[in-house]
Amino acid sequence: MTSSHIRPRLVELTSPRDVTGVSVRTSNAREGDPATAALPALWGRFMAAGGLPTTVFSVYTDYESDVHGAYTVVLGREAGPSTSGERTVRVVPGRYAVFTSTGDMPAAVIAGWQAVWAYFAEPDAPARAYTTDFEQYEPEDPSTVHIHVAVRAEASRERPVRA
């Protein structure tokens, strides 16, 4: 399945979720160049500190502007006590378009984000909110990523599923 054929389902996140973990400030332009990409090193730090014993979240927040601007990524677990160097971020309630991508990692994540960008480039797509987006990884299914992209409530026509 090519990334452009991954279609989202719309869900309503009814309560906030706090995620604590390691973080980095980056941009899509930076991540597009292996010489400057920050996310592989972030994953390396996270895995060295204990890896995937539970559900893992990679939260995208503090958007400078849109897909072209800088953002912060917090890679971790649902909030617990933070340790030195960790940050806690709140995933805001609201509507999310959820894209599911399966395969070898990180290729499945890359394919999933390519599907996100293709979907939101369509003229009838809802508008992204650029509040908090997140990837969700389950330890029992390590070859699947669920990418949740916040959409503006007034711009989404479909009725969401409550999550």
Side-chain angles (χ1 to χ4, degrees):
M1 174 184 299
T2 63
S3 62
S4 62
H5 292 98
I6 300 172
R7 301 304 291 181
R9 64 186 170 90
L10 194 61
V11 301
E12 182 82 26
L13 184 64
T14 57
S15 58
R17 173 178 283 149
D18 292 332
V19 174
T20 299
V22 293
S23 66
V24 70
R25 186 92 175 144
T26 191
S27 67
N28 289 338
R30 182 176 177 190
E31 294 307 311
D33 181 351
T36 60
L39 294 180
L42 184 70
W43 274 96
R45 283 179 30 214
F46 176 76
M47 295 304 282
L52 305 169
T54 185
T55 301
V56 172
F57 297 92
S58 183
V59 181
Y60 296 72
T61 189
D62 300 335
Y63 283 98
E64 180 180 77
S65 57
D66 58 16
V67 70
H68 303 291
Y71 51 86
T72 299
V73 177
V74 177
L75 178 59
R77 66 209 174 280
E78 285 213 57
S82 62
T83 60
S84 178
E86 288 188 323
R87 176 179 172 186
T88 298
V89 65
R90 175 157 285 179
V91 174
V92 298
R95 290 192 177 174
Y96 288 82
V98 181
F99 298 77
T100 299
S101 185
T102 302
D104 293 332
M105 296 294 170
V109 179
I110 294 166
W113 278 104
Q114 288 171 341
V116 168
W117 299 324
Y119 175 76
F120 285 103
E122 294 175 6
D124 61 342
R128 286 184 63 181
Y130 292 102
T131 52
T132 52
D133 302 322
F134 63 97
E135 300 162 0
Q136 183 173 342
Y137 302 86
E138 301 294 338
E140 63 274 2
D141 191 3
S143 65
T144 299
V145 59
H146 304 282
I147 302 172
H148 298 69
V149 180
V151 296
R152 293 184 188 159
E154 70 277 3
S156 54
R157 295 178 206 75
E158 295 180 49
R159 184 181 170 112
V161 175
R162 294 180 84 67

